[in-house]
Amino acid sequence: MRDVKKHAQRRKLFARPFSKTVLRSTWEPVVRGKVQLMISQIQKDLTTLGVCDVFKWSTFLATDVSAHLMFGESFEMLQRGEKNEYIRILESVIQGSGILFELPFLGYIVPCIPLQSVREMFGNGEALLRYGQSLLNNSRSNSESSRNIFSGLVHASEKDGASFNDIDVAIEAGNLIVAGSDTTAVTLTYLIWAILSRPKLHTQLGNELATLRENWEEGDLESLSLLNATITETLRLYGAAPGALPRSVPEGGVTFSGYYIPGGVTVSTQSWTIHRDPVLFPNPEKFDPSRWLPGDNQASEQARLAMSPFGSGSRTCLGIHLSWMELRLATAEFFLQCGNVKWAPSVTEESMKPKHFFLIAPSAHKCKITLAT
Ligand code: HEM
């Protein structure tokens, strides 16, 4: 969305439903339920197959969470262990738009191909719009069980006379599901990998989690300094979106660090190299959570300001609190309930090397664990 005014209006509408307070009061039980389901499926795979792909289950978790919040009903990918129709079509439409962007002449040819899969990939997403309609119905319903993140928002925008139509909602929902799925799944996979690969950190984290009170809530996890430092260090090295984030220079241009940049020029910044700047982060490739803990090794104020795994400024990630909630809950439950696991032999530095296609992902696209004994 390039229009600054429209973007600001949309951010204002979404600010409340994506705030930490509303997420905790309304959605924590849903997220926890899904985390628990992921853990049960991991344990089931380990006992029945002897091996389990953490990347696969993290993806189902993050997608099911985003989908439930957007649609007010579960996509049940964690239960079924496979993608549902909506996600399959959404991925196909995204792939189709990418192909048409690179090869626009295909736009003239594809309507003549009478194949359902081609129509889905290059069509106007009718199936996604049908889902958008059911989502809007859920948003307008007063039923607690079908509540979704658009509920308050649809009412608020209708009060202002600027109601969301089916297409707006379907597009927003699709964007939010894409934005919230692979991002959190990739980060969670690297997080579990980073901890399991470091026995001392694994033990220290287990000790910290053991201090939790009975019936702990997500809010309690916020005060676990090692857990939060480990998540922050994972976001530094393996934040899922470390590539260029483009911005247009406003009309009239700007002078930045002594350089004049004319209006309309596209500029960008990215966190991959900033997070690896040896001046800000000494020994930058070393995974070291102590950078985020009090002590001699503590990151400088400048380094903290440079940390931008969720971007920065007016377009910073809308889902930051949701992803922290998922990362904290899933990591805590995983290490409380699946302590006795190790990496499968297929997991190597090479297989986990990040591959970058706007988002990063482990190059093997798998990350398997087995039982330790
Ligand atoms: C670890 C997980 C995540 C990472 C690393 C991440 C990272 C990012 C980054 C780098 C941006 C671009 C910010 C910019 O241009 O300055 C972004 C934008 C965005 N993210 Fe996330 N994200 C994550 C999870 C989520 C989740 C769970 C959601 C919601 C369900 C979400 C929704 C969005 C939206 C809507 C935007 C666009 C914001 C705007 O243009 O105003 N993200 N995210």
Side-chain angles (χ1 to χ4, degrees):
M1 192 179 280
R2 292 180 78 93
D3 185 313
V4 176
K5 220 167 138 193
K6 274 193 186 151
H7 175 258
Q9 273 171 348
R10 193 192 64 155
R11 287 289 301 212
K12 202 172 148 208
L13 274 176
F14 279 114
R16 207 179 122 68
F18 278 97
S19 69
K20 201 194 278 186
T21 324
V22 172
L23 285 170
R24 280 194 180 149
S25 62
T26 314
W27 295 108
E28 184 172 338
V30 172
V31 178
R32 264 192 110 154
K34 294 196 188 297
V35 165
Q36 189 47 53
L37 196 53
M38 176 186 82
I39 302 292
S40 311
Q41 296 289 39
I42 289 177
Q43 287 170 333
K44 193 165 138 202
D45 274 4
L46 286 171
T47 25
T48 53
L49 309 171
V51 64
C52 167
D53 183 1
V54 170
F55 188 36
K56 178 181 99 174
W57 289 112
S58 301
T59 305
F60 288 152
L61 169 72
T63 314
D64 258 1
V65 166
S66 295
H68 197 137
L69 266 64
M70 303 321 142
F71 282 90
E73 55 197 35
S74 182
F75 276 14
E76 298 196 340
M77 286 182 283
L78 282 164
Q79 277 96 331
R80 295 183 192 164
E82 59 182 28
K83 292 174 186 171
N84 80 339
E85 194 206 17
Y86 178 89
I87 295 297
R88 196 181 49 71
I89 301 175
L90 184 63
E91 286 179 353
S92 174
V93 169
I94 292 169
Q95 220 178 352
S97 335
I99 294 172
L100 283 183
F101 184 75
E102 298 292 338
L103 308 167
F105 64 91
L106 282 180
Y108 299 104
I109 303 170
V110 288
C112 311
I113 305 174
L115 286 175
Q116 170 72 9
S117 53
V118 174
R119 264 207 296 273
E120 252 173 37
M121 185 180 264
F122 298 101
N124 56 9
E126 296 109 9
L128 300 184
L129 290 178
R130 277 199 305 279
Y131 272 91
Q133 181 60 56
S134 86
L135 181 156
L136 201 61
N137 293 342
N138 281 349
S139 310
R140 292 199 173 107
S141 139
N142 288 327
S143 152
E144 273 298 303
S145 60
S146 61
R147 173 200 280 272
N148 65 31
I149 210 126
F150 293 93
S151 298
L153 206 137
V154 167
H155 288 138
S157 82
E158 281 174 353
K159 251 204 281 178
D160 291 349
S163 69
F164 267 103
N165 64 35
D166 305 358
I167 297 177
D168 292 339
V169 172
I171 292 172
E172 288 293 356
N175 287 345
L176 284 165
I177 289 174
V178 172
S181 304
D182 288 355
T183 44
T184 306
V186 164
T187 308
L188 179 59
T189 304
Y190 276 111
L191 177 55
I192 294 176
W193 173 66
I195 298 167
L196 274 186
S197 311
R198 292 170 179 79
K200 192 170 159 207
L201 175 61
H202 188 178
T203 309
Q204 287 171 333
L205 195 69
N207 293 341
E208 186 178 63
L209 291 169
T211 64
L212 282 166
R213 68 186 168 105
E214 218 183 312
N215 301 325
W216 55 269
E217 294 172 355
E218 199 255 334
D220 294 300
L221 299 177
E222 211 170 2
S223 57
L224 298 187
S225 47
L226 185 59
L227 174 68
N228 291 291
T230 307
I231 296 175
T232 309
E233 185 65 349
T234 304
L235 286 165
R236 182 180 74 83
L237 284 174
Y238 308 110
L245 302 170
R247 300 287 192 268
S248 279
V249 175
E251 231 172 89
V254 286
T255 300
F256 187 72
S257 292
Y259 293 93
Y260 174 72
I261 312 173
V265 167
T266 301
V267 292
S268 70
T269 181
Q270 45 71 39
S271 62
W272 179 270
T273 53
I274 295 177
H275 289 180
R276 285 168 173 76
D277 181 338
V279 176
L280 295 170
F281 303 100
N283 204 356
E285 292 292 344
K286 185 175 176 205
F287 184 91
D288 185 359
S290 74
R291 297 177 202 273
W292 310 105
L293 294 169
D296 296 345
N297 204 23
Q298 193 172 12
S300 65
E301 193 49 38
Q302 221 191 351
R304 283 170 190 272
L305 283 173
M307 268 293 281
S308 47
F310 295 97
S312 53
S314 60
R315 298 202 178 224
T316 190
C317 178
L318 188 67
I320 184 167
H321 300 302
L322 177 61
S323 57
W324 266 95
M325 176 187 269
E326 289 181 64
L327 293 172
R328 281 196 192 104
L329 284 171
T331 312
E333 293 291 12
F334 181 89
F335 287 98
L336 282 168
Q337 298 186 52
C338 308
N340 193 25
V341 293
K342 61 177 186 186
W343 290 117
S346 60
V347 178
T348 60
E349 285 290 329
E350 204 47 40
S351 77
M352 291 302 290
K353 216 173 183 171
K355 265 205 171 161
H356 187 215
F357 298 97
F358 184 64
L359 294 186
I360 59 162
S363 59
H365 273 272
K366 284 185 182 65
C367 189
K368 293 193 173 176
I369 52 170
T370 61
L371 286 169
T373 48

